[in-house]
Amino acid sequence: MKRAWLVGALAAALMLSGCAANSPFDLADGQASLDCEGDGATTVVLLAGMGDDASTWRPLRDALGPNVRTCAWDYPGVGGSTGSAAPMTAGVAAASLDATLTAAGVDRPVMLVGHSIAGLTVRLFVGQHPDDVAGVVLFDPTVSSFAHRYDLKSFQPSWDGAGSAHEVDEITVWPDIPFEILRHDSAVYAEQGMWDAQVEVAWIVGQADFASLAPSGVVTEVPGAGHYVHRDQQQTAVDAVLRVLGQIE
């Protein structure tokens, strides 16, 4: 009897913390990994870039500290999550994220923080669930024009870039929520020879269009940052997350 009481009390405590328990969580098409820690009124859900798992967020989570509630999610087929095989699409990812948050008992609205390919998932998720997201910070997010153009070169076989772009292009407006995009330093990309000036301009324009989905959306170029903005300029990334979180709470 005492053991049963302790188990029940633990479950209740975990529910009060904003997440029923840590992963894995059973979904209709497999298991989902969602690693939650910290305390806070709003849960910050972290979505990694293509090929990265939840561990990529460890330095940022440590820097945010224990007073920020974070849940790092793995896409289906990545890290601790099973489910849909490649190629992934923004639609499949958004549906899996929604199911994971429900299975984990995460209170909504949440704040979404994402990197790179997560931009496509976040754009779709917010459009589909406008009442479930209170704010967004994205680090150098992929834009649909890039996914359309460079699908076979940059996305396949892991992601269906063009298919995802078609999905997110249906989202033309977001609710009026705090939304910040922190993008790479153009000078850093030029030094690294990442791509030519024409592609860089298209990237900048695409991210500006992305930010305009929300009335208060803004884009900031982060000096000294490459594609992994949150690693290259961690304090700037932390400040952005806390700034948006402060507007929510």
Side-chain angles (χ1 to χ4, degrees), residues 39-133:
D39 295 307
T42 302
T43 298
V44 178
V45 181
L46 304 164
L47 289 75
M50 184 167 62
D52 291 333
D53 61 22
S55 65
T56 192
W57 296 111
R58 184 72 269 158
L60 182 68
R61 299 175 84 180
D62 288 344
L64 287 170
N67 293 325
V68 176
R69 180 70 174 170
T70 60
C71 289
W73 179 64
D74 281 335
Y75 285 94
V78 175
S81 293
T82 62
S84 301
M88 181 57 55
T89 70
V92 171
S96 180
L97 176 60
D98 180 48
T100 302
L101 295 178
T102 298
V106 175
D107 292 334
R108 308 191 203 190
V110 298
M111 176 177 167
L112 297 180
V113 173
H115 171 237
S116 192
I117 197 73
L120 299 177
T121 303
V122 170
R123 176 170 172 169
L124 187 61
F125 187 90
V126 175
Q128 293 175 334
H129 307 276
D131 295 329
D132 289 348
V133 182

Side-chain angles (χ1 to χ4, degrees), residues 26 29 51 61 72 78 82 114 123 158 164 170 182 187 191 216 218:
D26 291 326
D29 60 348
R61 299 175 84 180
V78 175
T82 62
R123 176 170 172 169
S158 297
S164 296
E170 297 297 316
L182 274 61
E191 292 171 2
S216 59
V218 295

Side-chain angles (χ1 to χ4, degrees), residues 144-215:
S144 64
S145 59
F146 188 91
H148 275 296
R149 183 175 178 183
Y150 295 100
D151 183 22
L152 293 176
K153 179 179 179 181
S154 301
F155 297 91
Q156 299 286 354
S158 297
W159 273 71
D160 179 354
S164 296
H166 284 297
E167 292 171 336
V168 305
D169 284 343
E170 297 297 316
I171 305 301
T172 59
V173 64
W174 275 9
D176 189 4
I177 58 175
F179 177 27
E180 293 195 25
I181 291 176
L182 274 61
R183 73 175 194 84
H184 67 256
D185 184 341
S186 294
V188 170
Y189 263 34
E191 292 171 2
Q192 295 175 347
M194 291 294 294
W195 51 43
D196 62 33
Q198 183 178 5
V199 176
E200 179 67 7
V201 169
W203 187 261
I204 293 171
V205 171
Q207 290 185 337
D209 288 343
F210 192 171
S212 70
L213 289 176

